[in-house]
Amino acid sequence: MAKKTLIVGGVAGGATTATRLRRRDDSMEIVIFERGDYISYANCGLPYYIGGVIESRDALLVTKPEVMRDRFHIDVRVSSEVTKIIPEEKKIEVTNKKTGEVYEETYDNLVLATGSSPIKPPIPGINADNIFTLWTVPDTDRIKAYLTEKKPRSAAVIGGGFIGLEMAENLHAEGLEVSVIEMQSQVMAPVDPEMANLVHENMIMNGLNLILGDGVKEFHHKGNTIQIELTSGNMVETDMVILSIGVRPNNELAKQAGLALNQKGGVLVDDYLQTSIPDIYAVGDVIEVTHYVTKDKTMIPLAGPANKQARILADNIVGDKKKYNGTLGTAVAKVFDLDVASVGLNEKQLKAMGKVKNQDYFVALINQKSHAGYYPGATPLTLKMLFDGEGKILGGQIVGQDGVDKRIDTLATTMRLDGTIYQLEELELAYAPPFSSAKDPVNMLGYVAENILRGQVKFIDWSELDTLLADESKKNSYTVLDVTEEMERMVFAVPNSIHIPSGQIHDRWNELDKNKMIILYCTIGVRSYNAARVLIQKGFKDVSVLSCGTSFYKSMHYEKSKVQLKAAEKKTVEPMPTSDKEMKVLNCCGLQCPGPIMKVHETISGMNENEMLKVSATDMGFAADIDSWCRRTGNTLVKTERQNKENIVYIKKGTENMSQKENQIIETPQGKTIIVFSGDLDKVLASFIIANGAASMGRPVTMFFTFWGLNALRKSNGPSVKKPFMDRMFGAMMPKGSKKLKLSKMNMAGMGTAMMKKVMNDKNVDSLETLMQHGLKNGIRLVACTMSMDIMGITKDELIDGVEFAGVASYLGDAEESNVNLFI
């Protein structure tokens, strides 16, 4: 006698179980009960139908009930809600929602594929006609009808998960002003905060109002308008709301039947997807799964795992013994210009488990091109991989405009096959310039990870650098070294960094202090890694590279660049040329580091005054960079726009007229630099008084001590240092420290100097030594010229603590950012 299998739920898990069962057993009686009116629909495609990307509603209906009946001989009963399970009698109770009829149905096997539903918390005012959830086809119809009939001008999306962000993008595409309100500090919970920051930056660039770290307290209704009161007290006014707060398992039937559940309400199943009651099985969003990496139990509501579980379950019902070995949580989403993907664990989860970075796990964070940089259309990929000391891959995240999906799939496949970072290095992946590079970004993840484990490179991330820069007590323990080219430094530089271009590091490494931690950076991390290898082989013991370079660092501070971008957008300009023939056109898409800026500089240099240059670039930060460059070089950023995945900027050579300058934000350098050449007490005193005054106003100050000025920095009781004869003679003839300095005039064999010090003391004027200590506490950089030290035979050990050692390039770097430069 043929067995009878009843399936509750007809979307991903239920429909797949039914069709696989039919392919395995043609005689089995199979019945699907679906309480809605549709089965097997593409719920992941619903936002794109609302946004018009998917034009046909029918395209969402993957399989209709009549097709299941005709093609597979499966009895599909829509609008039929299973309200009760009676396990001891192996039967269920069903209500026909259209007729009200209640009947019973027996089973040999029962499958629960009831899925999940959107969370709708009891917020005052939440039950209104213009507040929607999106989970089913009828939900879609309601939203679509509202957009067509009411023509709202604005929308607010509550929640920054996959569906929320997809809805935000599609509503924005429909011409609505969109706000995204997320209670957590980031959108896209599966990725780490720094990767989410790339998404935040891009959402803002596309004109969204992004509100993070603020929840909804109450909805207030005024006619067709909703005023959203946030927990902070702020108000957001909108015409419609989409709730995308999260989902909960549809476990009512399981609970009623007495099935074992976890704390989150997920149905417990064994490796074969059987519940705690024999002959009752469950798949999909409703069940608890094993995390493939940790082997812990968790909830991962995704369509891919649901379909795979359904196939395994169907095979087990007909007699196989297949195990479901767990879920990796591989996921990808399109958010405006960016694709965001993740697999396995993120760093937040590892920290919550008590794991310690660089002990229990390691991080490889790199920036690569989606395909060969010289082939048109190459775009940046930011890849983050977590791995342990044995090379086991714990998780990965990727953000970019192209090629994100295939890279995350490659990581997921490697993890599923228990591969390690060493297998990533060996993967032989298809290569041609339009598709990848000879060393694919996934290979590069493996290479970087191996370098980390072998101790060939150490990385410092953006937040660690910020913490270090903010810690006054540590400022003399490290040097931040910029190895970019001069043109790049004009665009951006990390505060208080010194500059040695990567091509000069072999010749100028001795300008750096081996006793300090050296932090190197470039645009994306490649040149700084190469320079770091040089320093390590020169004997530097503590060398770190800024992960992903300044391209990533700037995105982590995207709020600071918003002002520049908005200013560029609002400029009033002369009439634009009507065609590309009337201006120079420069395609910098996919250009390799040091990036488009160098090409722009080269092109502008050969142009005539007032000529226009149109530049296209795929670098996400290009618009902000070129604005800064134009202001620094006396050229005019006329207009910025976004076309497809490219930033388009229009630059006029030379400055604007006065009326246009009124609309431009001018960045005035505020730093102060002082060259202390003299070793006279009065002149050194004057330099420190000026320096401390500037520092007290919050200005960055650098004092560069050269030749006789170095004597002010000498210790009065310095150590005995073995020197050549000539160096000893120099040392004996020069004043040893600030207390031995003499006046430039009226010294009178020391009497004038003594009188000066007494008068200063009587009138409560700080001594030079006190001023020097104040200066160090106020953040003044005291820089000793290493070339002068070498000439005068002064060693580092002879100078006071807190002094930095650098060449003239360091001083010139600070002088470039200053509006006052004194020579004393």
Side-chain angles (χ1 to χ4, degrees):
M1 181 178 176
K3 288 192 174 183
K4 183 178 181 181
T5 297
L6 306 183
I7 301 172
V8 185
V11 192
T16 299
T17 301
T19 53
R20 178 64 175 176
L21 273 175
R22 177 56 72 227
R23 286 189 288 269
R24 290 296 308 270
D25 188 340
D26 193 54
S27 65
M28 181 178 287
E29 184 179 354
I30 305 170
V31 186
I32 295 177
F33 298 91
E34 171 56 51
R35 64 183 174 184
D37 295 329
Y38 305 91
I39 64 162
S40 194
Y41 56 85
N43 51 359
C44 296
L46 301 181
Y48 299 101
Y49 171 62
I50 291 171
V53 178
I54 298 172
E55 296 181 1
S56 171
R57 180 180 182 278
D58 288 343
L60 300 171
L61 308 176
V62 179
T63 304
K64 297 180 179 180
E66 52 269 28
V67 174
M68 294 286 270
R69 294 190 192 103
D70 296 342
R71 186 176 299 170
F72 296 102
H73 294 173
I74 293 172
D75 184 0
V76 179
R77 305 178 192 179
V78 294
S79 300
S80 297
E81 183 171 9
V82 177
T83 56
K84 189 175 184 182
I85 301 172
I86 310 170
E88 60 274 13
E89 299 180 31
K90 297 190 74 170
K91 64 183 181 183
I92 62 172
E93 186 179 278
V94 187
T95 298
N96 186 317
K97 296 178 68 176
K98 291 185 176 178
T99 66
E101 176 193 1
V102 178
Y103 63 95
E104 293 181 344
E105 198 77 48
T106 61
Y107 64 84
D108 293 300
N109 300 294
L110 177 64
V111 177
L112 299 183
T114 49
S116 56
S117 295
I119 294 173
K120 195 172 181 180
I123 299 172
I126 199 170
N127 296 311
D129 292 340
N130 50 357
I131 297 180
F132 305 89
T133 58
L134 179 64
W135 202 247
T136 65
V137 174
D139 292 340
T140 311
D141 292 338
R142 284 190 287 271
I143 295 171
K144 195 79 169 175
Y146 190 84
L147 291 170
T148 302
E149 295 167 11
K150 302 295 183 181
K151 295 181 170 51
R153 292 175 298 176
S154 60
V157 176
I158 313 299
F162 286 89
I163 292 178
L165 296 191
E166 288 166 353
M167 276 302 300
E169 177 182 352
N170 281 281
L171 290 171
H172 183 269
E174 287 291 283
L176 278 72
E177 293 182 10
V178 180
S179 297
V180 173
I181 302 169
E182 168 56 56
M183 187 167 60
Q184 303 301 319
S185 60
Q186 67 165 88
V187 301
M188 300 294 286
V191 303
D192 286 315
E194 68 272 21
M195 302 297 277
N197 259 353
L198 300 175
V199 183
H200 300 161
E201 178 186 35
N202 188 251
M203 291 169 68
I204 291 171
M205 285 176 63
N206 278 280
L208 259 70
N209 178 30
L210 179 60
I211 301 170
L212 299 173
D214 211 349
V216 177
K217 181 179 180 182
E218 187 172 352
F219 295 104
H220 302 276
H221 300 276
K222 293 186 177 181
N224 292 326
T225 301
I226 306 170
Q227 286 187 332
I228 307 172
E229 182 182 351
L230 303 179
T231 53
S232 64
N234 293 329
M235 303 291 286
V236 176
E237 188 169 284
T238 188
D239 296 329
M240 65 182 296
V241 168
I242 306 293
L243 299 175
S244 183
I245 300 171
V247 298
R248 59 169 184 80
N250 293 329
N251 61 6
E252 297 85 357
L253 271 178
K255 190 182 297 183
Q256 173 270 316
L259 299 179
L261 307 177
N262 68 10
Q263 290 183 340
K264 294 183 178 180
V267 176
L268 303 185
V269 295
D270 63 15
D271 291 343
Y272 306 99
L273 301 164
Q274 181 167 268
T275 70
S276 58
I277 296 179
D279 301 321
I280 300 181
Y281 303 85
V283 294
D285 291 3
V286 76
I287 71 168
E288 177 186 80
V289 297
T290 300
H291 196 289
Y292 190 80
V293 178
T294 65
K295 308 308 177 187
D296 294 331
K297 298 296 183 180
T298 188
M299 303 287 290
I300 303 179
L302 292 170
N307 278 279
K308 294 165 182 64
Q309 293 158 14
R311 179 184 173 90
I312 291 171
L313 172 56
D315 288 346
N316 289 341
I317 287 174
V318 298
D320 292 352
K321 291 290 288 184
K322 289 185 174 179
K323 289 184 177 182
Y324 180 67
N325 293 314
T327 303
L328 274 170
T330 312
V332 65
K334 177 181 178 296
V335 186
F336 291 95
D337 308 303
L338 295 177
D339 300 330
V340 188
S342 63
V343 62
L345 297 173
N346 57 44
E347 195 169 2
K348 292 178 297 185
Q349 291 170 312
L350 288 169
K351 289 178 178 178
M353 295 161 59
K355 305 295 184 183
V356 179
K357 183 179 177 182
N358 295 329
Q359 294 181 27
D360 303 307
Y361 71 93
F362 299 85
V363 179
L365 180 66
I366 64 173
N367 185 307
Q368 294 287 299
K369 296 292 185 191
S370 57
H371 59 247
Y374 55 82
Y375 187 87
T379 58
L381 285 171
T382 303
L383 304 95
K384 179 176 182 177
M385 183 175 67
L386 307 165
F387 55 99
D388 67 15
E390 301 299 317
K392 178 184 177 182
I393 304 169
L394 305 175
Q397 301 156 47
I398 308 177
V399 176
Q401 298 177 71
D402 185 43
V404 169
D405 54 340
K406 73 174 182 178
R407 271 66 188 222
I408 206 70
D409 287 346
T410 305
L411 274 182
T413 302
T414 305
M415 292 174 69
R416 195 80 197 190
L417 298 176
D418 295 327
T420 67
I421 63 168
Y422 305 107
Q423 275 71 57
L424 289 184
E425 295 178 283
E426 297 172 3
L427 286 178
E428 186 176 341
L429 303 170
Y431 160 62
F435 306 105
S436 184
S437 301
K439 291 183 285 190
D440 189 86
V442 172
N443 296 133
M444 293 302 298
L445 273 177
Y447 298 147
V448 172
E450 186 199 10
N451 284 342
I452 291 172
L453 291 185
R454 292 183 62 182
Q456 293 185 342
V457 64
K458 283 197 307 184
F459 288 100
I460 183 171
D461 68 35
W462 71 277
S463 61
E464 292 168 334
L465 177 58
D466 276 358
T467 300
L468 199 59
L469 292 173
D471 190 340
E472 288 292 319
S473 67
K474 294 183 178 179
K475 69 175 187 175
N476 295 317
S477 65
Y478 64 88
T479 298
V480 180
L481 176 61
D482 178 351
V483 299
T484 66
E485 298 302 315
E486 187 65 38
M487 201 56 57
E488 296 171 274
R489 190 167 172 85
M490 291 180 70
V491 171
F492 178 81
V494 173
N496 298 321
S497 59
I498 68 170
H499 185 217
I500 302 177
S502 59
Q504 301 177 26
I505 201 72
H506 284 89
D507 299 322
R508 297 178 56 190
W509 62 268
N510 55 357
E511 295 177 22
L512 303 169
D513 186 349
K514 286 186 176 181
N515 296 316
K516 290 187 176 183
M517 176 185 182
I518 310 295
I519 302 168
L520 300 97
Y521 73 83
C522 62
T523 305
I524 64 172
V526 175
R527 288 171 292 171
S528 48
Y529 165 67
N530 291 331
R533 290 301 305 155
V534 172
L535 296 184
I536 290 168
Q537 293 176 79
K538 295 293 184 183
F540 287 77
K541 301 299 183 184
D542 194 357
V543 179
S544 292
V545 173
L546 178 63
S547 292
C548 263
T550 55
S551 62
F552 192 77
Y553 186 83
K554 286 183 289 183
S555 290
M556 298 305 101
H557 301 83
Y558 66 92
E559 289 287 349
K560 294 181 180 179
S561 65
K562 266 169 58 179
V563 176
Q564 293 178 357
L565 288 170
K566 292 297 181 185
E569 290 168 5
K570 293 179 180 178
K571 287 178 185 288
T572 55
V573 296
E574 299 168 359
M576 291 288 296
T578 56
S579 72
D580 287 355
K581 293 181 180 179
E582 299 178 43
M583 63 184 116
K584 284 188 176 293
V585 178
L586 179 62
N587 186 345
C588 294
C589 294
L591 215 62
Q592 293 285 358
C593 181
I597 293 291
M598 299 293 289
K599 197 71 176 176
V600 170
H601 174 71
E602 178 184 319
T603 305
I604 286 280
S605 298
M607 290 169 54
N608 297 320
E609 197 79 5
N610 294 321
E611 269 193 289
M612 190 79 76
L613 174 66
K614 176 183 177 182
V615 188
S616 57
T618 47
D619 180 4
M620 296 295 290
F622 178 64
D625 284 353
I626 202 67
D627 185 30
S628 176
W629 180 84
C630 285
R631 287 183 289 110
R632 295 287 298 278
T633 57
N635 294 294
T636 305
L637 177 58
V638 176
K639 181 182 177 183
T640 66
E641 60 187 20
R642 190 105 176 123
Q643 294 180 7
N644 298 321
K645 295 182 178 180
E646 297 178 5
N647 283 306
I648 310 295
V649 302
Y650 299 85
I651 306 168
K652 185 176 71 173
K653 181 169 181 176
T655 55
E656 303 170 281
N657 59 41
M658 290 305 293
S659 64
Q660 292 169 336
K661 283 187 179 180
E662 292 175 1
N663 296 308
Q664 185 177 10
I665 296 175
I666 303 296
E667 202 174 56
T668 304
Q670 296 297 319
K672 320 296 177 187
T673 49
I674 303 173
I675 300 175
V676 184
F677 175 82
S678 171
D680 295 329
L681 173 63
D682 46 335
K683 294 177 181 178
V684 177
L685 264 172
S687 66
F688 270 100
I689 290 169
I690 295 169
N692 276 292
S696 68
M697 296 172 64
R699 306 298 190 239
V701 180
T702 297
M703 300 180 71
F704 189 75
F705 293 80
T706 183
F707 287 97
W708 313 115
L710 288 169
N711 291 315
L713 302 181
R714 295 179 73 187
K715 295 175 182 175
S716 56
N717 295 304
S720 176
V721 180
K722 187 176 181 180
K723 296 182 182 181
F725 174 76
M726 191 63 70
D727 290 354
R728 289 202 310 274
M729 292 294 294
F730 256 117
M733 291 187 291
M734 293 187 300
K736 196 171 185 180
S738 58
K739 294 180 178 180
K740 299 292 185 180
L741 301 184
K742 300 175 181 179
L743 293 177
S744 60
K745 297 184 183 295
M746 296 177 60
N747 182 54
M748 298 180 294
M751 290 178 58
T753 302
M755 290 172 61
M756 170 70 78
K757 290 181 179 180
K758 184 178 188 309
V759 171
M760 288 173 62
N761 183 64
D762 291 344
K763 296 189 177 183
N764 295 317
V765 177
D766 287 335
S767 67
L768 175 56
E769 293 73 34
T770 302
L771 287 170
M772 293 171 73
Q773 290 303 312
H774 284 330
L776 287 169
K777 289 179 181 178
N778 289 334
I780 296 173
R781 294 181 66 209
L782 307 184
V783 181
C785 175
T786 50
M787 181 271 292
S788 299
M789 290 172 61
D790 190 46
I791 290 174
M792 301 182 73
I794 297 175
T795 67
K796 294 179 181 180
D797 293 335
E798 293 178 86
L799 300 188
I800 62 174
D801 295 336
V803 173
E804 300 177 38
F805 305 93
V808 70
S810 176
Y811 156 73
L812 291 173
D814 282 354
E816 188 177 311
E817 298 294 329
S818 301
N819 62 359
V820 172
N821 186 34
L822 300 177
F823 186 94
I824 297 177

